[in-house]
Amino acid sequence: MERMRAAFRTLGCKVNQVETEALLGFLKALEPEVVPVEAGGADLVVINSCAVTTTAEADTRKEVRRARRYNPHAFIVVTGCYAELAPEALRELGADAVVPNARKAELPRVILERFGLPSDPITTPPNEFWGAGERGLLNSRVRAFLKVQDGCQAGCAYCIIPRLRGKERHRDYREALAEAEALLRMGIREIVLTGVRLGSYRGHPRGLAGLVEDLYHLGAKVRLSSIEPEDTGEDLLKAIARYAPEVRPHLHLSLQTGSDRLLKLMGRRYDKAYYRDLVQRAYDLIPGFALTTDVIAGLPTETEEEHRETLAFLEELRPTRVHAFTYTPRPKTRAASLPQVPPEVRRRRTRELIALAQRLAEERVRPKLGERVEVLVERVQGGEALGHTPDYYEARLSGEARPGETVWARVLGVEGYVLLGRVEGVKVGVKGPMELPVR
């Protein structure tokens, strides 16, 4: 056949992102030309879907309709959480194949068979923790995601993900380290550990902290994706502190609400006192620590006073960034059967949370003006170097730099969450482990 034209759309979490990226690696032997969905003329469209909210479901349905409109003759495959939840609805919308999460590792075989091509061990993932490895990456050749955990058994009252992702599974650390070594050989500089419930990782004798330490000793810069507060122990904080900034001094700790009553009602496994103590310990222990978090506006039975509690708690915590979501009832969850906050009240509370988040972000970024910061350059575009600082600020820099370099830059301005600056030089050498304060 002529060279395949393939389009990929990923919605939702970083776990979906790594699985989409890995899929292209398994299709690399086909040498597909990757094109935007809207370019038209694609032979293959893969949509990796999300169902964490009703908005995410609607976005998936829109993407399927859009893919069929622009690519009427394409083989459209939908996978991910919405494929698990509503396979028949997706077929009615125009999907040719629906591959649920439980069978996601079969994606390469499904695609190859559709195009009359043989599948073999090279194009067939060995298990559900398949990653890009040496087969290639979809996007950046500087940062890569490494999936080490899947599934969730937390059972939060508002969440449908345990039903869609199944029980918790953990990747053996030796397999994860082997893939990390392959990524480093390819030129990857930063590895982002991902999982549906990453902090529960038990594939290493010393848990997530042990895996982080081993990755550091391989020579990787290590970043953690979202992690639950109750899974963030002292050993992990010490590992981050000891090896920062190569182990990135940033945690995304999901809060959801500042009300102890709602935390308990929603099945969260911590209270405000625990969360406060954890964050304060991180600030005390980790040099340059940055906190980002999630909150949900209008959880069932939330009162106006409890909404104000959340606003006040965020003021106290000083996060660099807050992702605010409007609660939407999920069928077959406990929260859906509880008394609901009126939609217009939920939307208003979301607006107030977003306004606070913007103010807090501005207050946290302002002191960086004039500072010298470290930036891992991920790409060069339009004569500017683009990347992230260890504490997860985006940076846009003038001056000479190459992808993969860690540079020192002077912050000259800010634009939203983005630091604007000038490259001052390349960082040479790696700081060794630091001595930690005793509690």
Side-chain angles (χ1 to χ4, degrees):
M1 62 178 290
E2 294 181 3
R3 188 180 181 193
M4 174 188 288
R5 287 168 58 87
F8 298 83
R9 285 289 290 123
T10 304
L11 297 91
C13 64
K14 286 183 171 65
V15 174
N16 270 4
Q17 293 177 38
V18 69
E19 289 169 346
T20 299
E21 187 170 89
L23 176 61
L24 185 65
F26 282 100
L27 299 178
K28 190 177 180 182
L30 303 179
E31 298 183 345
E33 177 188 358
V34 179
V35 298
V37 170
E38 61 273 15
D43 303 296
L44 168 70
V45 178
V46 179
I47 299 170
N48 202 348
S49 67
C50 179
V52 70
T53 64
T54 55
T55 300
E57 292 179 11
D59 288 344
T60 297
R61 293 191 294 269
K62 182 174 70 175
E63 288 295 336
V64 175
R65 289 191 292 266
R66 185 166 168 266
R68 182 56 74 200
R69 184 169 70 252
Y70 283 108
N71 305 275
H73 305 297
F75 179 56
I76 297 178
V77 184
V78 184
T79 188
C81 286
Y82 195 52
E84 192 86 33
L85 185 66
E88 291 307 317
L90 290 168
R91 290 188 183 95
E92 290 172 6
L93 287 169
D96 296 299
V98 179
V99 181
N101 283 324
R103 294 176 45 227
K104 193 174 268 188
E106 299 176 25
L107 269 170
R109 180 182 59 77
V110 169
I111 293 168
L112 291 166
E113 287 182 357
R114 169 62 177 79
F115 290 95
L117 299 166
S119 60
D120 56 41
I122 301 301
T123 55
T124 303
N127 57 49
E128 65 182 306
F129 293 112
W130 48 298
E134 294 178 321
R135 298 176 180 86
L137 297 168
L138 182 59
N139 294 311
S140 169
R141 294 190 61 86
V142 174
R143 300 174 75 226
F145 297 109
L146 181 63
K147 178 183 171 185
V148 297
Q149 189 276 340
D150 205 341
C152 181
Q153 292 162 236
C156 297
Y158 54 83
C159 185
I160 199 171
I161 295 303
R163 178 185 166 204
L164 305 180
R165 283 280 182 175
K167 293 183 179 180
E168 293 172 16
R169 290 92 71 198
H170 311 274
R171 189 176 193 180
D172 185 271
Y173 75 99
R174 288 160 291 199
E175 182 185 319
L177 292 174
E179 183 172 334
E181 287 185 293
L183 292 168
L184 292 172
R185 285 196 300 269
M186 293 166 57
I188 293 300
R189 295 290 179 266
E190 182 176 285
I191 290 175
V192 184
L193 291 177
T194 66
V196 172
R197 190 179 171 195
L198 178 62
S200 73
Y201 175 72
R202 295 193 299 275
H204 190 287
R206 290 182 291 112
L208 186 59
L211 179 61
V212 166
E213 184 171 344
D214 286 354
L215 287 168
Y216 167 83
H217 287 301
L218 283 181
K221 300 179 190 297
V222 185
R223 191 179 295 280
L224 303 180
S225 60
S226 180
I227 187 169
E228 295 298 315
E230 68 271 26
D231 296 330
T232 311
E234 181 82 0
D235 55 345
L236 181 60
L237 295 182
K238 286 185 174 180
I240 298 170
R242 187 176 299 276
Y243 300 112
E246 274 64 46
V247 175
R248 301 318 204 182
H250 160 249
L251 288 173
H252 185 90
L253 298 169
S254 298
L255 172 62
Q256 311 305 19
T257 175
S259 160
D260 279 339
R261 184 190 73 84
L262 284 174
L263 286 171
K264 185 176 181 179
L265 183 65
M266 293 298 112
R268 303 295 284 176
R269 301 180 181 188
Y270 54 88
D271 58 15
K272 284 168 63 176
Y274 177 91
Y275 193 102
R276 178 188 290 114
D277 186 63
L278 172 63
V279 171
Q280 189 56 56
R281 181 61 173 157
Y283 278 126
D284 292 343
L285 197 64
I286 301 170
F289 174 69
L291 168 71
T292 57
T293 192
D294 299 321
V295 289
I296 302 174
L299 285 165
T301 77
E302 182 186 59
T303 66
E304 193 65 27
E305 181 181 353
E306 287 169 330
H307 169 61
R308 297 294 160 192
E309 281 187 69
T310 300
L311 293 168
F313 197 45
L314 290 172
E315 291 262 20
E316 177 186 342
L317 294 169
R318 298 175 290 140
T320 61
R321 195 161 187 175
V322 178
H323 301 276
F325 301 92
T326 306
Y327 171 77
T328 55
R330 312 298 292 124
K332 301 184 181 180
T333 61
R334 298 195 310 277
S337 63
L338 295 171
Q340 302 294 308
V341 176
E344 64 275 13
V345 176
R346 286 182 240 159
R347 290 192 292 269
R348 188 258 301 164
R349 291 176 183 174
T350 304
R351 290 193 299 272
E352 291 177 0
L353 285 165
I354 290 171
L356 173 63
Q358 291 172 338
R359 178 170 62 78
L360 290 173
E362 290 170 3
E363 291 174 359
R364 292 303 306 275
V365 77
R366 201 173 297 131
K368 288 188 173 290
L369 283 171
E371 277 193 0
R372 190 173 185 242
V373 298
E374 177 184 325
V375 177
L376 173 62
V377 178
E378 295 163 30
R379 63 190 189 279
V380 175
Q381 183 176 307
E384 293 182 314
L386 309 177
H388 284 83
T389 63
D391 52 356
Y392 207 48
Y393 282 97
E394 292 180 59
R396 201 164 75 226
L397 310 173
S398 62
E400 286 194 25
R402 292 179 295 181
E405 288 183 333
T406 297
V407 301
W408 292 111
R410 187 69 58 184
V411 179
L412 304 175
V414 296
E415 189 176 282
Y417 296 103
V418 181
L419 306 179
L420 308 177
R422 181 183 63 245
V423 175
E424 292 193 335
V426 177
K427 182 181 179 183
V428 179
V430 176
K431 183 180 73 173
M434 65 172 288
E435 293 300 317
L436 302 177
V438 177
R439 188 164 212 169

